């Protein structure tokens, strides 16, 4: 009835649109973070194929055998373990950022801000805290990744693959990690916009409640 239509109208507001954009950005951050640390990496020996080593990123290679193959496998595993805590932390942050706007959308649909207008001020404070906290989080993310890429494990791994003619194993940030950082910056700006919209809506609700007869 009328109540359901009013609830659906919230999804057409500027604040709801901004929150849905935050959901999309958080989902993309989660995907990029999982790409960064989602593969265990490493060559796996396949004796049945005559000593060919299979790399999980895509295809069978015959350039490694014997001691070199074992060394490549060890270096890949060590490199993966170095990146794993960073990837898990990024995925956890992305998951939290995904849940937060979903909860706020539900709160808006249920018209909680209308019945409890102070919630909009709480929402504004939360948005500002998250936006400010995104800056040190991004710094930690890139600082930790660069520490891994500057490690002796990564350097030795890169030299080993280059000696066999394989490319793409550079000790530098790759596209998914850079994209995660850019998406984090975009999310921080979206949070600040949402904070401003929450203050605006608080004033609107407060003014409307002062004129109950006109409603």
């Amino acid at each position: 009835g009328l109540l359901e239509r009013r609830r659906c109208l919230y999804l057409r507001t500027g604040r709801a649109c901004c929150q849905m954009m935050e959901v999309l950005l958080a989902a993309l951050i989660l995907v990029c973070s999982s790409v960064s640390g989602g593969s265990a990496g490493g060559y796996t020996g396949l004796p049945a194929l005559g000593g060919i080593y299979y790399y999980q990123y895509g295809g069978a290679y015959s350039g490694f055998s014997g001691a070199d193959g074992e060394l490549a496998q060890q270096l890949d595993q060590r490199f993966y373990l170095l990146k794993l805590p960073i990837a898990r932390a990024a995925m956890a942050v992305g998951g939290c950022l995904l849940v937060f706007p979903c909860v706020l959308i539900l709160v808006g649909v249920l018209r909680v801000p209308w019945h409890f207008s102070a919630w909009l001020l709480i929402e504004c404070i939360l948005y500002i805290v998250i936006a400010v906290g995104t800056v040190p989080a991004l710094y930690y993310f890139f600082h930790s990744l660069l520490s891994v890429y500057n490690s002796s494990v990564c350097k030795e791994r890169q030299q080993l693959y280059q000696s066999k003619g394989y490319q793409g194993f550079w000790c530098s940030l790759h596209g998914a990690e850079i994209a995660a950082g850019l998406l984090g910056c975009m999310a921080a700006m979206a949070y600040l916009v949402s904070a401003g919209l929450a203050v605006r809506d608080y004033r609107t609700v407060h003014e409307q409640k002062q004129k109950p007869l006109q409603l």
Side-chain angles (χ1 to χ4, degrees):
L2 180 62
L3 181 59
E4 293 298 327
R5 289 198 295 271
R6 286 179 177 176
R7 288 177 177 178
C8 292
L9 285 175
Y10 173 75
L11 299 177
R12 300 172 57 183
T13 63
R15 200 163 94 254
C17 292
C18 198
Q19 288 167 349
M20 287 186 281
M21 178 62 68
E22 293 162 11
V23 171
L24 176 61
L25 291 173
L28 292 175
I29 292 174
L30 187 60
V31 171
C32 291
S33 301
S34 63
V35 170
S36 176
S39 176
Y43 277 85
T44 303
L46 299 178
L49 297 180
I52 296 177
Y53 289 87
Y54 179 82
Y55 191 67
Q56 293 186 7
Y57 284 116
Y61 299 100
S62 59
F64 290 92
S65 61
D68 287 340
E70 293 178 0
L71 178 59
Q73 185 178 21
Q74 292 175 3
L75 290 174
D76 276 335
Q77 292 174 349
R78 290 169 61 189
F79 179 70
Y80 165 72
L81 292 176
L82 287 175
K83 291 185 65 178
L84 183 60
I86 307 169
R88 285 182 174 176
M91 292 172 63
V93 171
C96 293
L97 295 180
L98 181 62
V99 172
F100 179 66
C102 291
V103 172
L104 294 183
I105 291 174
L106 178 62
V107 169
V109 169
L110 296 177
R111 295 174 59 81
V112 172
W114 172 255
H115 300 290
F116 181 57
S117 58
W119 168 259
L120 291 170
L121 297 180
I122 297 174
E123 184 177 315
C124 174
I125 294 173
L126 290 175
Y127 271 124
I128 293 176
V129 170
I130 294 175
V132 173
T134 301
V135 177
L138 288 174
Y139 172 80
Y140 170 79
F141 177 69
F142 285 112
H143 177 74
S144 301
L145 283 176
L146 291 175
S147 298
V148 172
Y149 288 127
N150 290 327
S151 65
S152 58
V153 173
C154 185
K155 299 295 184 182
E156 186 178 357
R157 177 175 177 267
Q158 175 181 310
Q159 294 175 359
L160 179 61
Y161 281 116
Q162 286 181 339
S163 67
K164 300 297 181 179
Y166 294 126
Q167 304 298 322
F169 299 93
W170 313 112
C171 291
S172 59
L173 298 171
H174 59 67
E177 293 162 348
I178 297 174
L182 294 176
L183 291 169
C185 294
M186 294 173 62
M189 291 186 288
Y191 300 147
L192 293 177
V193 173
S194 292
L197 292 175
V199 173
R200 184 203 64 180
D201 289 352
Y202 173 79
R203 292 176 179 174
T204 301
V205 171
H206 185 70
E207 291 174 358
Q208 289 180 350
K209 284 190 173 184
Q210 297 300 319
K211 303 176 182 179
L213 296 178
Q214 297 182 8
L215 296 177

